[in-house]
Amino acid sequence: MSRARSPRHAPGDAPRDTPAQRTFAARPGRREARRRAGRPRAAALALAGLLAALPAGPTAKAAGAAAGLCGDARLRGRALDPIEAPGRCGVPEPVRVERADGVALLEPIVVNCRTARAFADWIARTRAHARRLGFDLAAVRPSGSYQCRPLYGRPGARLSEHAAGNAVDVAAFVLSDGRVILVRRHWGRGVAGRFLRGAWRAGCASFGTTLGPEHDAPHADHFHLDVRAHEGPPVCR
Ligand SMILES: [Zn+2]
């Protein structure tokens, strides 16, 4: 059903008009759409503008798009040079992921391959969950990936998993009809909240650690997902 509402785009198509965001409307929608009219390139980075570049359909595949990063055909992006940084920060073999399992990343993430593959698993599970709710997931908006910093940015704390390319933060999800679901705004609220709960649970099935709004205040606006191995079951809260 939802497929009928999600026309696919071949790369290079002119951006299609983005419908005004409905139901889960987030304020930037209309403004970004207007900016896009005047500044198509800049707007390609904007939430609404990016909808135009959503899932690469069969055309892109037929054209022989790259076979996938990290040995995973669901991942699109490119390998980067090693990231060297002071102390224990850095990533020996980083990749920049731009699309996972047909879902666009509104900000590319820089992570190691293990994290990239876990991310593709998570997207696949989250898409399936979305479909069960009648949603067609088109894009996610990460809010963090590689960064050399201590936990919570607190001086003296141990290094965050972000500092090793092991972690991704995700703040928002965009459906193919333009609706935006924000962790900050929709957690615990209605059908969008049910979608978020399922996405959080999918994190628990895909990553070693999944933290969301019920963990603590700093996670009120995003999910933290990392591949750190723990004794026993994944950390999921
Ligand atoms: Zn994080």
Side-chain angles (χ1 to χ4, degrees):
M1 268 193 326
S2 55
R3 283 201 171 281
R5 288 188 276 115
S6 57
R8 298 297 186 202
H9 262 259
D13 276 5
R16 69 180 152 100
D17 289 339
T18 304
Q21 291 173 354
R22 298 188 293 271
T23 311
F24 308 131
R27 245 183 305 138
R30 283 170 185 278
R31 193 173 66 229
E32 294 299 352
R34 278 198 297 274
R35 282 174 51 199
R36 182 160 57 100
R39 294 194 301 146
R41 179 143 182 82
L45 295 171
L47 203 60
L50 266 153
L51 287 172
L54 288 182
T59 313
K61 285 174 189 157
L69 283 176
C70 302
D72 190 323
R74 298 170 301 179
L75 293 168
R76 292 286 186 273
R78 62 186 167 89
L80 301 176
D81 291 335
I83 298 173
E84 288 166 17
R88 290 170 44 241
C89 288
V91 189
E93 296 181 39
V95 292
R96 173 189 154 103
V97 179
E98 297 163 1
R99 184 179 293 273
D101 198 42
V103 170
L105 279 64
L106 301 185
E107 296 282 341
I109 56 171
V110 175
V111 292
N112 57 32
C113 274
R114 194 167 152 231
T115 307
R117 287 190 293 263
F119 190 80
D121 288 346
W122 175 66
I123 290 288
R125 288 187 169 103
T126 299
R127 272 185 91 190
H129 168 64
R131 277 195 292 268
R132 286 192 289 272
L133 294 172
F135 294 167
D136 184 21
L137 181 63
V140 297
R141 191 176 72 209
S143 55
S145 54
Y146 171 75
Q147 190 183 11
C148 182
R149 64 166 172 84
L151 273 182
Y152 294 95
R154 280 179 204 136
R158 76 170 165 80
L159 274 184
S160 162
E161 293 299 315
H162 287 280
N166 284 338
V168 182
D169 296 333
V170 174
F173 300 80
V174 183
L175 307 183
S176 61
D177 60 9
R179 286 180 293 176
V180 177
I181 297 176
L182 300 170
V183 175
R184 169 174 50 80
R185 185 178 301 174
H186 296 108
W187 181 260
R189 291 191 185 177
V191 68
R194 276 164 57 207
F195 165 77
L196 289 174
R197 172 78 56 181
W200 171 81
R201 205 173 284 126
C204 303
S206 311
F207 286 90
T209 302
T210 301
L211 304 176
E214 289 173 17
H215 175 52
D216 60 9
H219 294 87
D221 62 357
H222 70 277
F223 296 149
H224 167 93
L225 309 161
D226 80 55
V227 294
R228 183 170 178 233
H230 299 275
E231 305 260 333
V235 170
C236 186
R237 53 197 180 210

